[in-house]
Amino acid sequence: MILILGLILLIAAVIVGLAGVFGNTGPGHDLGVGGDFSIFGYHVTGSTGSLFLSGIIVGAVALLGLTLVIMGARRSVRRSAQARRELDTSRREAAAVDRERDDLIKQRDDAHAGAGAGAPTTDMPRAETDAPVTDAPRGRGHWFGHRAAHR
C-alpha cells in the first residue's frame, strides 16, 4: 500500500513538473510584469517567487513519493529475507529429524540382526526388503530415474 501511494505521488509530481517545463517555453511565458504561467489550462499569474514556491512544493511531493517507494521496497526485501531465514531453519530442523529417524532405523536393524539369524522376534517389525541399510539420505531420486543395476 505504501509502495503504491509513493508511486502515485511520484508520478503525479513528475507529470506536473514536466507539463510545467514543456508547456511554458519561449518569451511569451515570462513571469515579468503581468506575465502568467499555465499548467493543464490553469493560469497562474504572479511573481517569479510564487512560481519558485510552486516548484518547491512539487519537488517536496516528489521527494515524499520517492521516500514512500523506497520504504515499501525495503519492507518487501526484509519480509523476503525473513522468509528465507525461516525456510533455512525449517530445512535444518527437518534434516535433524531425518538423521534421528535414520539412526533409530539403524539401531532397530542392528538389534534385529543381533537377535539371531534364526527365528524373527515378535517385538521387532521385520524389514520389508532384505536390502542392506545404507547411510545415504532417503527419499532422494536419481537424476535419470531408477538405476538398472546396483553398484
Side-chain angles (χ1 to χ4, degrees):
M1 182 68 183
I2 291 175
L3 183 68
I4 294 171
L5 180 64
L7 282 173
I8 290 171
L9 286 175
L10 185 62
I11 290 171
V14 166
I15 288 173
V16 168
L18 288 176
V21 168
F22 291 126
N24 295 294
T25 58
H29 293 286
D30 288 336
L31 281 180
V33 179
D36 75 31
F37 183 78
S38 66
I39 296 177
F40 298 123
Y42 177 72
H43 295 283
V44 179
T45 57
S47 66
T48 335
S50 65
L51 178 62
F52 184 69
L53 181 63
S54 300
I56 288 175
I57 291 171
V58 169
V61 169
L63 184 63
L64 177 67
L66 184 63
T67 303
L68 290 176
V69 167
I70 290 173
M71 282 176 40
R74 286 185 63 196
R75 188 175 179 186
S76 66
V77 167
R78 270 196 315 255
R79 282 183 183 172
S80 64
Q82 181 181 3
R84 281 194 303 270
R85 281 193 300 268
E86 289 174 359
L87 180 64
D88 289 342
T89 302
S90 68
R91 284 182 179 168
R92 281 193 299 270
E93 290 173 356
V97 168
D98 286 344
R99 280 193 303 270
E100 289 176 9
R101 185 196 68 221
D102 290 342
D103 290 343
L104 288 174
I105 289 172
K106 186 173 181 173
Q107 288 175 1
R108 183 195 66 195
D109 290 344
D110 290 346
H112 179 68
T121 59
T122 57
D123 58 346
M124 285 285 186
R126 189 179 160 111
E128 293 180 12
T129 63
D130 292 332
V133 177
T134 62
D135 290 337
R138 295 176 182 260
R140 277 199 180 160
H142 300 287
W143 282 12
F144 302 109
H146 297 288
R147 289 195 174 154
H150 294 288
R151 291 184 193 182

